[in-house]
Amino acid sequence: MDFGQLMIDIHRKDTIVAMATAPGTGAIAVIRLSGSNAFGIAGKLFKDHKGRAKDFSDANTHTLHFGMIEDEGKLLDEVLLAIMRGPKSYTGEDVVEISCHGSPYIQQKIMQACLMHGARLAEAGEFTLRAFLNGKMDLSQAEAVADLISADSGAAHELALKQMRGGFSDTIQKLREELIHFASLIELELDFAEEDVEFAGRKELTDTVAKLSDVIEALISSFDIGNVLKQGIPVVIAGEPNVGKSTLMNALLNEERAIVSEIAGTTRDTIEEEIVLSNVKFRFIDTAGIRETNDAIEKIGVEKTYEKIRQSPVILYVFDVSNETQQGLRNKLENLKSHIIPGFRIIPVGNKSEQHEMKKLQEEFSGIEHVIFISAKDKQNLHSISEALSEQVNTGLLKVGNNVVSNVRHHDALKKTQDSLKSVMKGLNSGLSNDFIAQDLRHALHHLGSITGQISSDDLLDNIFSKFCIGK
């Protein structure tokens, strides 16, 4: 998409049209018009229940109108037509939404009629782009719209909704305002350099930068949880061959996804599936059994298992309670810890417990922390795994109102802002000239402003909005 040309089109107030609902057959479909001629186009197509034309130029905003869509004297459909007068609309422009029956033929004919009367097809994300350009939302809120549409878990939905409602934007704006105030004092001192005037004490400025850096560092750190909540938390199911890893995978998924066999070493490659537990998406990864082997293909599978283990913050280590001792399990867990990143969690899962008394199992493995006993075959006690996994997710960050960064672009901009602030701090501590400090401050303001779109470019807008669906 050529956003330079698009900006010119918007300036000309082109009226755009697109399906606002997903393509295909359904009970209803919604066609959206936005622009200065939206009401005029709707008026040329709409007739009330008595067959009279309707003039929407003086219609009240946020009203519904029942009637028919006709084109060249031919009835296309009975519809509900919604009028939203700018700036009190999604895009900030005059908007018309036509709710028609969901026949693809009807959708196509109404769209063609809109185009014939002066509208043009909307580009991907153009409705939201117009909302951004018309000041209805900032860039980070616009990106949250796309995240909200694609949210496939409660946590991802909550994350996107909070960002779309402006919580993150408010934090960025406050940081930027403090930086602007700081920068203005430095710029003022540059203007009076010959008089050797100091408008702010260096200690006060240093404290301000330190405080801003702490807030930004907390936002940067939150990306670890924000990203996995958005993308899904990887959970590796690991263990020796034939302990029931694939059976557990199937039991958690409630479907026969992985091949189950009494023959050890059946699983040669990794199998991945997603499940939502307690509003959080987990990506379960069934892996090849860990053991010494001379089979070249199985050996590759074991290497892949260790690769996945190194990448996953949570590992379910499955063992057969009939063929394991407490000391043997302890040794295997210690060996496994040497392959994971510090801070990652191993949850021991004792499988095939249906033939054993739970009390005896708990006594036998009493020295193993957080061990869970299940029967994957009979689907017994699987809820304990769900509870253990839910404990690993710090969803409290979302519940107490803290801002969590889940967008890679925002994370990168915050890191660049932090690097610039470190340069500012270094300059203040070393007595560097105000010229250099002011330059680093401008860089910090630029990176921070790029998050909300106060500093943006056609390339940036192209990259963001081209990923949207048509009609949003």
Side-chain angles (χ1 to χ4, degrees):
M1 188 190 306
D2 184 352
F3 273 95
Q5 182 60 46
L6 196 53
M7 299 281 276
I8 296 172
D9 290 340
I10 291 171
H11 182 69
R12 288 204 311 258
K13 297 295 182 183
D14 279 5
T15 297
I16 56 176
V17 64
M19 297 300 306
T21 46
T25 304
I28 64 168
V30 177
I31 297 167
R32 177 183 287 158
L33 286 153
S34 180
S36 59
N37 196 29
F39 296 166
I41 293 171
K44 292 174 183 176
L45 302 174
F46 184 85
K47 299 287 177 62
D48 67 16
H49 64 286
K50 292 184 179 180
R52 297 172 301 193
K54 182 81 173 179
D55 182 6
F56 293 109
S57 61
D58 58 353
N60 291 329
T61 187
H62 293 80
T63 54
L64 286 175
H65 305 265
F66 173 71
M68 299 166 287
I69 293 291
E70 291 185 1
D71 187 39
E72 297 179 346
K74 183 179 180 181
L75 175 64
L76 297 180
D77 196 16
E78 284 189 339
V79 302
L80 268 179
L81 190 144
I83 293 291
M84 288 160 276
R85 192 176 295 280
K88 294 183 179 180
S89 70
Y90 179 72
T91 62
E93 304 171 335
D94 290 344
V95 170
V96 174
E97 290 188 351
I98 302 169
S99 297
C100 62
H101 291 94
S103 156
Y105 174 78
I106 292 173
Q107 297 172 40
Q108 180 185 12
K109 296 302 288 185
I110 294 177
M111 284 282 292
Q112 286 176 348
C114 290
L115 294 171
M116 286 295 292
H117 286 87
R120 69 164 172 82
L121 284 173
E123 299 279 2
E126 190 175 350
F127 289 103
T128 306
L129 172 65
R130 289 187 175 207
F132 163 65
L133 294 173
N134 289 324
K136 301 298 291 184
M137 62 180 70
D138 66 33
L139 201 52
S140 69
Q141 290 173 295
E143 289 170 292
V145 171
D147 289 342
L148 191 63
I149 292 169
S150 61
D152 53 6
S153 71
H157 169 264
E158 189 172 354
L159 206 61
L161 195 61
K162 187 170 291 184
Q163 183 175 321
M164 193 179 76
R165 298 187 70 181
F168 178 61
S169 299
D170 290 343
T171 299
I172 297 300
Q173 185 57 33
K174 287 174 184 175
L175 287 170
R176 197 164 183 272
E177 286 172 1
E178 288 199 53
L179 265 181
I180 289 172
H181 175 68
F182 181 13
S184 66
L185 294 176
I186 295 295
E187 296 283 358
L188 202 56
E189 288 183 9
L190 283 173
D191 291 340
F192 289 87
E194 293 182 2
E195 285 80 4
D196 196 25
V197 177
E198 190 175 272
F199 289 93
R202 285 302 178 262
K203 185 182 184 308
E204 179 188 346
L205 295 178
T206 301
D207 291 344
T208 300
V209 174
K211 182 180 72 172
L212 294 175
S213 292
D214 287 345
V215 175
I216 290 171
E217 190 58 44
L219 290 172
I220 292 170
S221 299
S222 74
F223 180 72
D224 289 340
I225 183 171
N227 192 46
V228 294
L229 287 177
K230 181 177 174 180
Q231 304 296 337
I233 300 172
V235 179
V236 161
I237 302 175
E240 294 183 331
N242 215 25
V243 294
K245 299 185 298 299
S246 297
T247 305
L248 175 57
M249 176 82 154
N250 290 338
L252 290 168
L253 293 170
N254 205 26
E255 64 172 286
E256 297 300 312
R257 176 65 179 84
I259 297 172
V260 176
S261 169
E262 295 297 324
I263 302 171
T266 304
T267 303
R268 300 296 185 93
D269 203 350
T270 59
I271 300 172
E272 300 190 24
E273 285 292 342
E274 296 177 351
I275 312 175
V276 176
L277 301 172
S278 302
N279 286 329
V280 177
K281 182 168 70 176
F282 292 90
R283 292 192 290 112
F284 285 95
I285 306 163
D286 184 21
T287 61
I290 300 172
R291 69 170 176 178
E292 294 293 329
T293 177
N294 293 322
D295 186 305
I297 296 176
E298 188 179 355
K299 188 177 291 186
I300 293 171
V302 174
E303 289 173 358
K304 282 192 174 183
T305 295
Y306 280 120
E307 181 183 334
K308 291 294 182 181
I309 285 172
R310 285 188 288 271
Q311 296 170 354
S312 300
V314 184
I315 297 97
L316 296 179
Y317 184 78
V318 184
F319 64 95
D320 184 341
V321 295
S322 301
N323 298 320
E324 191 60 89
T325 65
Q326 178 169 284
Q327 188 55 51
L329 178 59
R330 192 187 303 278
N331 293 339
K332 288 163 187 173
L333 292 175
E334 286 299 321
N335 175 63
L336 193 59
K337 285 178 183 178
S338 66
H339 292 276
I340 67 174
I341 296 173
F344 282 11
R345 174 79 184 278
I346 302 172
I347 301 174
V349 179
N351 189 28
K352 306 184 182 182
S353 63
E354 65 272 10
Q355 300 298 324
H356 301 263
E357 289 185 23
M358 188 60 68
K359 187 176 180 180
K360 287 186 177 180
L361 284 175
Q362 290 171 342
E363 289 175 355
E364 186 178 349
F365 294 94
S366 60
I368 306 297
E369 290 186 356
H370 309 297
V371 64
I372 296 170
F373 298 104
I374 66 160
S375 170
K377 183 181 72 173
D378 296 339
K379 298 184 179 180
Q380 293 178 0
N381 206 31
L382 296 184
H383 66 89
S384 295
I385 292 179
S386 299
E387 291 169 2
L389 291 173
S390 297
E391 289 175 6
Q392 305 308 307
V393 184
N394 186 13
T395 51
L397 278 171
L398 301 177
K399 293 176 181 177
V400 299
N402 291 1
N403 287 305
V404 178
V405 177
S406 61
N407 185 296
V408 174
R409 188 182 72 83
H410 300 168
H411 181 250
D412 182 59
L414 286 168
K415 287 176 69 176
K416 289 177 178 176
T417 303
Q418 188 74 306
D419 289 341
S420 296
L421 287 182
K422 286 178 181 177
S423 297
V424 171
M425 182 69 83
K426 185 177 179 181
L428 288 170
N429 290 333
S430 62
L432 200 65
S433 165
N434 280 354
D435 298 79
F436 294 103
I437 294 174
Q439 185 175 349
D440 290 326
L441 279 171
R442 291 186 202 109
H443 289 157
L445 280 167
H446 174 85
H447 297 310
L448 207 55
S450 70
I451 294 174
T452 54
Q454 287 159 304
I455 306 293
S456 60
S457 65
D458 287 354
D459 288 341
L460 175 62
L461 296 179
D462 190 11
N463 183 53
I464 291 171
F465 288 100
S466 63
K467 297 175 183 175
F468 276 60
C469 56
I470 300 287
K472 195 57 187 172

